[in-house]
Amino acid sequence: MFAIFLSEAVGSMLLILLGCGVVANTALTKSKGQGTGFLFVNWGWGLAVFVGVIAAAKSGGHLNPAVTIGLLVNDIAQGKPAMDFGTVMAYLGGQFVGSLIGAFLCWVAYKQHFDEEPDQGAKLGVFCTAPAIRNPLFNLLTEIIGTFVLVFVVIASGLYTTNTKGDAVNLGWLGAFGVALLIVVIGTGLGGPTGYAINPTRDLCPRIMHAILPIKGKGDSDWSYSWVPVVGPMIGGLLGGLLAAPLLVFPLQ
């Protein structure tokens, strides 16, 4: 279990360091990437997921509690042996700790730019998501839909097999790249309303670091919104795992 914890922690650390870093690069004053825009952020987060999944290959590269819960529910729905409680906690604990460390390292890397940035919203936006139009119900639905797409497609990719016996395709690092492209298309297609957290620890842990780090002129951490990018992805992940199960259980023949 410690190997799972460590693998998920390292992968999540790299995911958040690079993902939050790409936002810092485009949002903060005097950064060389300032003003490169939302598409730049989409691709940056996608490639950050790619790096994190590669680094966490030993544990399967979940890097996201919604993915872990989705896979757990999917196994249960198929009647397959599922992860035990200790294994699930190892995944979630690694994701949480790694995300905290990644957010801290992002702040260290961009410390001078945080000091120079006058916009409190830009500083907060490096760490966590915020809605373009604040409406908790629709913001929640957007996060549910985006995370459903993520988990459903990740599980559905298991349908690709090498032979009639159903042996899974081993794509190596190309499998991780496929997940990266999935993150990019979710961002470009569904990221506009909320910034597409689609991962509870991706939003919560950096928000915690924003709250506790000595960031110059940082302002409020917007805790009133913080439940949306936690609850929404967990519901979306659960639904994705549950509704993907029939694809794997019922053959077409």
Side-chain angles (χ1 to χ4, degrees), residues 87-111:
T87 301
V88 172
M89 289 299 102
Y91 274 102
L92 301 186
Q95 292 156 9
F96 189 86
V97 171
S99 296
L100 289 173
I101 297 172
F104 171 76
L105 293 177
C106 177
W107 172 69
V108 171
Y110 282 91
K111 170 66 166 62

Side-chain angles (χ1 to χ4, degrees), residues 17 51 81 104 112 119 125-126 128 135 143 178 180 182 191 206 210 219 235:
L17 169 61
V51 171
F104 171 76
Q112 292 178 293
D119 185 352
V126 171
C128 53
N135 183 310
E143 287 293 333
L182 177 58
H210 177 270
I235 295 173

Side-chain angles (χ1 to χ4, degrees), residues 2 7 20 57 62 67 86 89 98 107 134 154 168 183 189 211 227 236 246:
F2 180 72
S7 175
C20 290
H62 293 191
V67 171
M89 289 299 102
W107 172 69
R134 189 172 292 254
V154 165
I183 297 298
W227 66 275

Side-chain angles (χ1 to χ4, degrees), residues 5 35 58 64 68 72 74 77 80 101 103 105 108-109 119 128 136 140 159 179 183 195 225 229 232 234 236 241:
F5 173 89
K58 189 175 183 66
N64 183 341
T68 300
L72 173 65
N74 185 262
K80 295 168 58 178
I101 297 172
L105 293 177
V108 171
D119 185 352
C128 53
L140 182 69
L159 290 170
V179 178
I183 297 298
Y225 179 75
M234 293 304 288

